[in-house]
């Protein structure tokens, strides 16, 4: 009896534990363990930079997994959802959870076989194929967007045939869309945007009849769009922008009758815009910009009665704007700049009472501006030229159109008008403001580079809200007194006032209590008057003003954030007080005749200087250590000087901030610094006398895109180990003492490599570049005319890649997009051109 009791007790005890676990907790213990294991596969990296949109609310990331406790019910853990009946974990939402690390193919996640929804978006995850999520065959929703996943995912998830939602945007995935995409017949949402996908869209896409949203933007897709897209009758949003699609836009798109948004910009579409698009009666947003479309704009587009935004910027569209446009009565944005449109001002537009943004610039419009332009009562922005968004505020440059005649003074009566951009036309006559509606809402008046005659009328003072005034290249003498009437003025563009004699900087600054921006470039500026004018200016352009000594009066401009004093003839030392200006973030000293930096221990250095350009001067001696004390420095350009000695060790102080370092064309000696510059994107030390090896610390430069060490005396073997740098695009080793064999290495994003004029030896296998996916997969097969062959003894050959072997060198040049196209906004910080 006793014995059997004891036995029973033991038996029951185990049973009770099992029972208790399942009764108190919904969670299945083995699934809880999987989750805990999964958590351990990653580190937590807290960062404010990943913001997430949760149900329309923008929230910061936080580590959801940190609240997970082994002894609590995993079905209630943050991000975990269980099925009420089966108790299986069916949904895992770890978006925005600060997860960091490699996603291994042996991840424990594959054991959550009942998972239906997996969201790992907005983390710092990376990892390559083979991709294990393909084993989660019950998944219906998969989101991996905004990570650094790579590899070829599509063939591996083909078996997850129940997928309805697939969001892979903003990763490094590559490969083609397989024909078998047609098997995802339940798919309603497909977003592959911002990856490295290439190839054609397969015809089978037309089978995905449930698809509501298709986004393929910012990839390298090419070829024609298949006409089968016309079958996707439920589609409401189609985004193919930022690819290399070509050929005609298929007229079958006119059958996608529920479409509300159609984005085709940044491609190579040619020929006519199909008139069938006029059938897309629900369309609200249509963007064709930056293609090669020609012929006339079809008048059927006038049927798009819900259209609020139409953008045809940068094509070869000709003819006139169709008169049917007068029926687009919901249109608020119309952008047709940079085409070949002709005719007079399109009066059909005068019926569009909701129009608030009109850009007609850079076309072949002629004639005068109609006085009844005032019927555009909601017009806010009126452009007749092209703006370029460049880093520096004074480079909002203007380009031409050919409007002539006087500026209708009625324009100034438009009650809503806030901005008039008419720079670079041939408007003439004298400027008149007429009956300025009071109070005028006009905030921007941009009239530079026209042929106006005579003075600027003093009635300009009625533009009480004017913040931006551009009268650059004004042909008559400008009376600076008018500026003191404009109380709201913040930005004043006065470059190249040919008819105005020497401008006294002190006098101009005295007109203002405070001014955000003053552009005096290209004038003859006198800056010797030392009378104090304190705290007026924030951004000052004095480039090319014939200045010979550093303007002492800037010493009291404590608001100064940006100073461009390049292209002058300033001699001597850069004054020490500059580093004390507490807000100075951008300083361009290039192309002067400075010989050194004044150093003085008295000075407390400015802590905010982010960009320092000092190229093309006569600086000599060692690179001053005061540079190392500029703790916010991101760009340092000291190229084309006579600096000697070694790169100062203390530059390591800038290891977390420095993004661009250019010391090209000096006489620097010694070795490259051994610090780990984790933010450095571009390092150019070319044309110096550096020796030693490439420091192995380079592998920690995880942001590095450009490395140029050309024309030094670096003596090392081929740095195949740089292949761990995910962002490296340009590697220039030419003219050094590199030697030994060129190892096989797969640089993930390399576009340009130059290893010529070294002492490399041995054989280069003919498939050497096969793994340089970025280079060989680019337009190689598309444009064979780029095939070139240099050198004397070829030992291998890959289409589109140029190399030869004379003294053992390869020169590969491919894909210049990185320097021009998409990254044009960065132009200032990519010194290697
Ligand atoms: C969780 O706790 C259970 C028992 O309490 C244990 O068996 C299991 O190994 C733990 N899991 C992890 C991942 O720590
Ligand atoms: C998965 O594989 C990686 C290396 O491939 C290894 O470091 C890790 O320990 C493995 N994890 C598990 C859970 O087996
Ligand atoms: C997909 O399923 C087929 C048939 O079940 C199988 O042969 C194939 O290996 C699977 N593919 C992947 C990538 O899992
Ligand atoms: C769907 O998948 C099956 C089996 O993997 C394959 O034979 C078929 O060709 C696929 N269908 C399409 C349209 O890709
Ligand atoms: C598109 O629909 C037509 C019928 O409208 C059909 O014949 C064709 O096969 C479909 N194409 C695809 C790719 O589904
Ligand atoms: C679509 O547009 C074309 C050309 O504009 C026209 O011929 C056709 O009849 C339209 N189809 C429908 C269904 O409206
Ligand atoms: C504007 O004036 C032109 C003539 O200059 C006239 O043809 C057009 O009908 C007018 N439009 C409106 C909306 O008043
Ligand atoms: C456009 O405006 C003019 C002048 O007000 C008017 O005669 C014409 O009927 C309007 N057109 C449309 C389509 O509303
Ligand atoms: C210097 O500027 C002040 C105005 O700030 C002016 O009154 C004075 O006359 C100027 N001095 C010279 C020498 O131009
Ligand atoms: C340097 O500045 C001078 C004016 O001082 C100018 O003529 C020259 O073009 C500038 N050089 C460069 C390279 O910008
Ligand atoms: C940057 O330099 C500081 C001080 O020299 C050092 O503590 C830190 O570890 C360095 N960071 C990196 C990423 O090397
Ligand atoms: C490179 O360094 C090796 C020793 O590591 C030396 O033998 C060789 O001469 C050097 N080459 C040059 C060109 O300096």
């Amino acid at each position: 009896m006793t014995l059997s009791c004891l036995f029973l007790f033991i038996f029951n005890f185990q049973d009770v534990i099992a029972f208790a676990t399942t009764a108190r907790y919904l969670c299945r213990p083995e699934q809880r363990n999987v989750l805990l294991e999964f958590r351990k596969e990653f580190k937590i990296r807290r960062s404010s930079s990943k913001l997430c949109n949760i149900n329309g609310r923008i929230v910061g990331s936080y580590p959801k997994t940190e609240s997970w406790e082994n002894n609590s019910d995993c079905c209630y853990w943050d991000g975990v959802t269980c099925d009420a009946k089966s108790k299986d974990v069916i949904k895992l939402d770890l978006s925005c959870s600060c997860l960091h690390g490699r996603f291994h193919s042996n991840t424990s996640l594959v054991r959550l076989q009942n998972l239906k929804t997996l969201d790992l978006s907005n983390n710092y995850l990376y990892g390559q194929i083979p991709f294990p999520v393909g084993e989660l065959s019950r998944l219906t929703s998969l989101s991996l967007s905004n990570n650094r996943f790579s590899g070829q995912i599509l063939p591996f998830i083909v078996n997850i045939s129940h997928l309805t939602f697939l969001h892979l945007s903003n990763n490094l995935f590559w490969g083609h869309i397989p024909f078998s995409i047609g098997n995802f017949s339940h798919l309603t949402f497909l977003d592959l945007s911002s990856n490295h996908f290439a190839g054609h869209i397969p015809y089978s896409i037309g089978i995905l009849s449930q698809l509501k949203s298709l986004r393929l933007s910012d990839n390298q897709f090419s070829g024609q769009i298949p006409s089968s897209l016309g079958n996707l009758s439920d589609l409401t949003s189609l985004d193919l922008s930022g690819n290399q699609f070509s050929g005609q836009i298929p007229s079958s798109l006119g059958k996608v009758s529920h479409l509300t948004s159609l984005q085709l910009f940044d491609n190579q579409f040619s020929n006519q815009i199909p008139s069938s698009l006029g059938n897309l009666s629900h369309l609200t947003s249509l963007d064709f910009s930056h293609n090669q479309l020609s012929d006339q704009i079809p008048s059927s587009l006038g049927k798009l009665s819900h259209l609020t935004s139409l953008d045809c910027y940068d094509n070869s569209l000709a003819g006139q704007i169709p008169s049917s446009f007068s029926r687009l009565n919901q249109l608020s944005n119309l952008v047709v700049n940079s085409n070949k449109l002709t005719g007079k001002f399109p009066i059909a537009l005068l019926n569009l009472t909701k129009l608030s943004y009109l850009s007609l610039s850079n076309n072949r419009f002629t004639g005068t501006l109609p006085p009844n332009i005032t019927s555009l009562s909601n017009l806010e922005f009126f452009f007749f030229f092209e703006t370029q968004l460049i880093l520096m505020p004074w480079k909002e440059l203007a380009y031409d159109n050919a409007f002539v005649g006087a500026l209708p003074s009625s324009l100034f009566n438009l009650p809503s008008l806030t901005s008039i951009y008419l720079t670079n036309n041939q408007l003439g006559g004298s400027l008149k403001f007429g009956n300025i509606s009071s109070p005028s809402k006009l905030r921007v008046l941009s009239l530079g580079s026209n042929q106006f005659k005579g003075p600027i009328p003093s009635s300009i003072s009625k533009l009480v809200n004017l913040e931006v005034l551009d009268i650059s290249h004004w042909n008559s003498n400008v009376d600076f007194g008018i500026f003191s009437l404009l109380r709201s003025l913040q930005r004043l563009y006065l470059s190249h006032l040919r008819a105005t004699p020497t401008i006294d900087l002190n006098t101009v600054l005295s007109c203002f209590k405070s001014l955000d921006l003053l552009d005096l470039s290209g004038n003859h500026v006198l800056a010797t008057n030392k009378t104090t004018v304190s705290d007026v200016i924030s951004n000052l352009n004095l480039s090319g003003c014939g200045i010979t000594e550093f303007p002492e009066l800037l010493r009291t401009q404590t608001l100064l954030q940006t100073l461009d004093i390049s292209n002058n003839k300033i001699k001597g030392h850069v004054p020490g007080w500059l580093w004390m200006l507490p807000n100075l973030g951008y300083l361009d000293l290039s192309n002067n005749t400075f010989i050194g930096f004044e150093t003085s221990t008295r000075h407390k250095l400015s802590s905010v200087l982010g960009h320092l350009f000092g190229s093309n001067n006569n600086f000599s001696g060692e690179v001053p250590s005061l540079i190392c004390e500029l703790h916010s420095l991101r760009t340092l350009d000291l190229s084309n000087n006579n600096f000697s000695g070694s790169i100062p060790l203390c530059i390591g102080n800038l290891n977390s901030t420095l993004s661009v370092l250019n010391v090209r064309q000096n006489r620097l000696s010694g070795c490259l610094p051994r610090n780990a510059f984790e933010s450095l994107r571009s390092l150019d030390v070319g044309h110096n006398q550096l020796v030693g090896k490439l420091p192995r610390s380079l592998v920690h430069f995880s942001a590095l895109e450009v490395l140029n060490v050309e024309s030094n005396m670096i003596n090392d073997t081929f740095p195949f180990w740089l292949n761990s740098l995910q962002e490296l695009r340009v590697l220039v080793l030419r003219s050094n003492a590199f030697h030994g064999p060129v190892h096989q290495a797969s640089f993930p994003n390399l576009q340009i490599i130059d290893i010529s004029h070294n002492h490399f030896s041995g054989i280069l296998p003919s498939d050497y570049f096969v793994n340089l996916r970025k280079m060989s997969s680019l337009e190689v097969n598309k444009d064979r005319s780029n095939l070139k062959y240099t050198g004397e003894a070829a030992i291998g050959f890959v289409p589109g890649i140029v190399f030869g072997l004379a003294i053992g060198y390869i020169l590969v040049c491919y894909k210049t997009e990185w320097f021009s196209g998409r990254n044009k906004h960065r132009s200032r910080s990519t010194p290697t051109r």
Side-chain angles (χ1 to χ4, degrees):
M1 174 70 190
T2 324
L3 203 66
S4 82
C5 259
L6 186 60
F7 178 74
L8 201 70
F9 175 69
I10 292 169
F11 180 82
N12 274 344
F13 183 66
Q14 292 207 328
D15 221 2
V16 166
I17 294 176
F19 179 76
T21 325
T22 41
R24 263 192 294 134
Y25 296 156
L26 282 175
C27 178
R28 290 175 181 269
E30 73 278 9
Q31 298 193 354
R32 176 197 56 206
N33 286 346
V34 169
L35 289 170
L36 290 172
E37 274 176 47
F38 181 65
R39 172 172 76 172
K40 276 198 228 146
E41 290 170 24
F42 305 100
K43 294 194 179 101
I44 299 294
R45 182 199 242 185
R46 282 169 216 272
S47 160
S48 52
S49 70
K50 293 244 178 185
L51 294 178
C52 300
N53 182 338
I54 295 180
N55 300 327
R57 246 171 3 110
I58 303 293
V59 295
S61 299
Y62 70 95
K64 293 182 188 169
T65 53
E66 280 200 344
S67 62
W68 294 3
E69 305 266 357
N70 189 359
N71 56 8
S72 63
D73 186 347
C74 78
C75 290
Y76 292 98
W77 288 352
D78 200 355
V80 179
T81 308
C82 298
D83 184 81
K85 275 200 194 130
S86 72
K87 296 155 190 143
D88 286 314
V89 174
I90 53 166
K91 176 172 175 183
L92 186 57
D93 176 1
L94 294 180
S95 60
C96 293
S97 299
C98 313
L99 299 179
H100 180 264
R102 179 180 285 276
F103 202 89
H104 285 287
S105 53
N106 57 4
T107 175
S108 48
L109 197 66
V110 293
R111 281 152 44 207
L112 293 179
Q113 275 294 322
N114 294 301
L115 214 51
K116 292 201 174 108
T117 301
L118 176 60
D119 188 346
L120 297 175
S121 59
N122 287 295
N123 284 294
Y124 303 87
L125 302 174
Y126 55 95
Q128 291 222 352
I129 51 163
F131 208 78
V133 289
E135 292 166 38
L136 298 170
S137 58
R138 293 194 176 82
L139 272 190
T140 58
S141 170
L142 175 61
S143 180
L144 303 175
S145 60
N146 286 311
N147 282 288
R148 314 272 309 153
F149 284 114
S150 54
Q152 217 180 346
I153 187 175
L154 292 173
F156 285 86
I157 58 171
V158 144
N159 284 355
I160 318 178
S161 54
H162 303 293
L163 271 185
T164 60
F165 184 97
L166 181 57
H167 194 177
L168 303 177
S169 69
N170 270 307
N171 280 288
L172 301 168
F173 289 121
W174 58 277
H176 296 197
I177 302 181
F179 185 79
S180 54
I181 188 80
N183 275 347
F184 291 88
S185 56
H186 305 287
L187 217 49
T188 60
F189 180 98
L190 177 60
D191 189 341
L192 306 180
S193 55
S194 299
N195 279 288
H196 302 310
F197 289 111
H200 297 197
I201 304 181
Y203 191 74
S204 57
I205 198 124
I207 305 172
L208 306 180
S209 59
Q210 321 251 337
L211 212 53
K212 292 195 164 51
S213 178
L214 176 60
R215 295 181 195 171
L216 305 179
S217 57
D218 293 313
N219 280 287
Q220 284 128 31
F221 287 116
S222 57
Q224 304 211 0
I225 325 183
S227 59
S228 62
L229 268 184
N231 280 20
L232 304 179
S233 54
D234 282 356
L235 203 62
T236 59
S237 170
L238 176 61
D239 187 350
L240 303 178
S241 62
N243 283 289
Q244 289 143 34
F245 288 117
S246 56
Q248 186 142 17
I249 297 171
S251 65
S252 65
L253 274 188
K255 290 193 290 168
V256 189
S257 56
H258 288 99
L259 220 48
T260 59
S261 168
L262 177 57
Q263 310 299 323
L264 301 175
F265 58 93
D266 276 332
N267 278 291
Q268 288 150 29
F269 290 117
S270 54
N271 297 333
Q272 265 181 310
I273 296 174
S275 68
S276 62
L277 297 188
N279 295 344
L280 299 174
S281 58
H282 294 95
L283 216 52
T284 59
S285 170
L286 179 55
D287 195 337
F288 299 113
S289 56
H290 207 41
N291 278 290
Q292 290 148 26
L293 296 165
S294 55
D295 226 319
Q296 307 214 352
I297 300 176
S299 70
S300 64
L301 295 189
K303 290 195 286 174
L304 300 173
S305 58
H306 289 98
L307 206 61
T308 59
S309 177
L310 174 60
D311 192 340
C312 305
Y313 162 73
D314 194 17
N315 279 284
S316 298
L317 297 169
Q320 308 200 2
I321 288 185
S323 58
S324 62
F325 273 29
S326 63
R327 287 183 280 159
L328 296 174
N329 53 24
Q330 300 298 313
L331 201 65
S332 81
N333 288 340
L334 177 61
V335 181
V336 297
N337 49 316
S338 303
N339 279 288
K340 295 173 179 162
L341 297 170
T342 53
K344 295 192 170 174
F345 183 90
I347 55 169
L349 304 182
L350 296 179
N351 287 45
L352 306 182
T353 51
K354 293 210 170 149
L355 204 60
S356 73
Y357 189 105
L358 174 60
S359 179
L360 302 173
S361 55
N362 205 11
N363 275 292
R364 296 172 185 173
F365 293 112
T366 51
T368 56
L369 297 172
N372 59 4
I373 197 166
T374 42
S375 57
L376 295 176
S377 53
N378 283 302
L379 200 61
E380 291 178 34
F381 294 91
F382 183 45
F383 284 86
F384 277 108
F385 78 99
E386 185 181 26
T387 47
Q388 264 195 338
L389 290 173
I390 298 188
L391 229 85
M392 293 312 301
W394 46 76
K395 289 195 177 148
E396 291 165 8
L397 291 178
Y399 296 98
D400 55 345
N401 222 315
F403 280 104
V404 295
L407 184 64
S409 58
S410 56
L411 203 57
F412 296 97
N413 296 337
L414 280 176
S416 301
L417 199 63
T418 61
S419 312
I420 300 176
Y421 292 89
L422 287 165
T423 299
N424 254 10
N425 273 281
Q426 290 156 35
L427 296 166
S430 57
L431 183 64
K432 293 200 186 82
F433 293 113
N435 290 330
I436 290 173
S437 68
S438 59
S440 160
K441 285 193 183 157
L442 201 66
R443 287 167 41 213
V444 179
L445 180 57
S446 185
L447 302 174
S449 303
N450 276 285
Q451 286 154 23
F452 293 110
K453 299 238 158 51
I456 293 164
S458 61
S459 56
I460 197 172
S461 62
K462 290 194 192 152
L463 301 175
V464 288
N465 289 306
L466 203 62
E467 293 169 8
V468 179
L469 177 62
D470 177 3
I471 52 167
S472 301
H473 295 266
W474 196 264
N475 280 331
S476 315
N477 192 0
V478 174
D479 170 13
F480 285 69
I482 58 165
F483 302 127
S484 46
L485 305 174
L486 298 169
R487 296 292 156 83
S488 304
L489 210 56
Q490 290 172 15
R491 295 178 163 215
L492 183 54
Y493 297 84
L494 298 174
S495 70
H496 299 92
L497 300 179
R498 276 157 298 172
T500 305
T502 303
I503 297 172
D504 188 310
L505 184 58
N506 196 305
T507 312
V508 185
L509 291 183
S510 305
C511 296
F512 301 96
K513 282 218 170 64
S514 88
L515 194 60
D516 178 48
L517 180 147
L518 177 62
D519 182 357
L520 290 173
S521 60
N523 289 301
H524 191 258
V525 172
L526 207 61
T528 46
N529 186 334
K530 294 193 172 64
T531 314
T532 308
V533 192
S534 294
D535 297 343
V536 173
I537 184 81
S538 303
N539 299 286
L540 181 60
N541 190 351
L542 294 174
S543 179
C545 292
I547 297 173
T548 52
E549 57 183 273
F550 209 96
E552 183 74 15
L553 79 134
L554 296 181
R555 189 198 271 263
T556 50
Q557 297 305 320
T558 59
L559 301 175
L560 205 60
Q561 295 167 8
T562 310
L563 175 62
D564 185 345
I565 198 156
S566 61
N567 303 326
N568 283 294
K569 292 166 183 149
I570 307 177
K571 298 183 288 277
H573 286 78
V574 179
W577 51 258
L578 260 182
W579 319 114
M580 290 166 71
L581 292 175
N583 294 301
L584 193 65
Y586 182 107
L587 177 60
D588 192 342
L589 304 169
S590 56
N591 192 19
N592 277 286
T593 47
F594 288 113
I595 55 168
F597 289 86
E598 182 185 287
T599 47
S600 160
T601 46
R602 280 187 300 120
H603 297 313
K604 189 169 146 268
L605 294 190
S606 148
S607 59
V608 300
L609 194 68
H611 306 276
L612 175 57
F613 299 90
S615 62
N616 290 298
N617 277 290
N618 293 343
F619 289 120
S620 61
E622 301 215 338
V623 174
S625 60
L626 88 87
I627 300 284
C628 310
E629 290 167 55
L630 301 170
H631 290 290
S632 305
L633 207 57
R634 287 190 280 147
T635 309
L636 177 60
D637 183 352
L638 298 175
S639 58
N640 288 300
N641 280 291
N642 288 317
F643 282 117
S644 56
S646 50
I647 298 173
L649 280 178
C650 65
I651 201 139
N653 293 355
L654 306 177
N655 62 3
S656 61
T657 57
L658 212 54
S659 171
V660 175
L661 176 58
N662 185 355
V663 290
R664 201 180 162 76
Q665 295 276 11
N666 278 285
R667 292 187 289 129
L668 295 169
S669 53
C671 299
L672 274 165
R674 290 176 196 285
N675 314 77
F677 290 87
E678 54 188 12
S679 307
L680 205 64
R681 284 179 27 215
S682 174
L683 175 60
D684 189 344
V685 297
H687 295 275
N688 280 289
Q689 293 150 23
L690 298 173
V691 296
K693 295 184 170 192
L694 287 182
R696 295 315 188 249
S697 60
L698 279 169
V699 297
H700 301 299
F701 290 33
S702 53
L704 202 64
E705 295 170 23
V706 177
L707 176 61
N708 189 338
V709 300
E710 71 180 289
S711 297
N712 279 287
M713 294 176 292
I714 294 175
N715 183 353
D716 202 347
T717 53
F718 182 70
F720 64 90
W721 41 271
L722 287 175
N723 69 356
S724 64
L725 297 181
Q726 295 286 320
E727 307 292 338
L728 195 65
R729 284 159 169 76
V730 178
L731 176 59
V732 181
L733 307 177
R734 66 179 284 146
S735 298
N736 276 287
F738 285 95
H739 53 83
V742 177
H743 299 270
Q744 184 87 29
S746 56
F747 294 95
N749 275 305
L750 204 62
Q751 291 167 7
I752 294 177
I753 175 170
D754 184 347
I755 62 174
S756 60
H757 297 93
N758 278 293
H759 310 303
F760 287 116
S761 57
I763 293 291
L764 265 178
S766 62
D767 61 349
Y768 184 79
F769 293 100
V770 170
N771 288 329
L772 301 185
R773 195 148 32 234
K774 265 303 202 170
M775 261 189 291
S776 51
S777 72
L778 286 165
E779 295 166 18
V780 169
N781 297 321
K782 210 181 117 226
D783 188 359
R784 285 178 176 268
S785 66
N786 274 325
L787 276 181
K788 264 188 230 151
Y789 164 66
T790 60
E792 284 147 31
I795 53 163
F797 188 75
V798 180
I801 292 172
V802 186
F803 67 90
L805 184 81
I807 37 169
Y809 74 89
I810 314 174
L811 171 61
V812 181
C813 263
Y814 220 79
K815 192 67 176 179
T816 49
E817 177 201 80
W818 186 73
F819 294 111
S820 51
R822 290 191 195 156
N823 287 37
K824 60 190 159 200
H825 304 307
R826 300 191 198 160
S827 53
R828 193 86 221 214
S829 49
T830 47
T832 319
R833 289 235 192 194

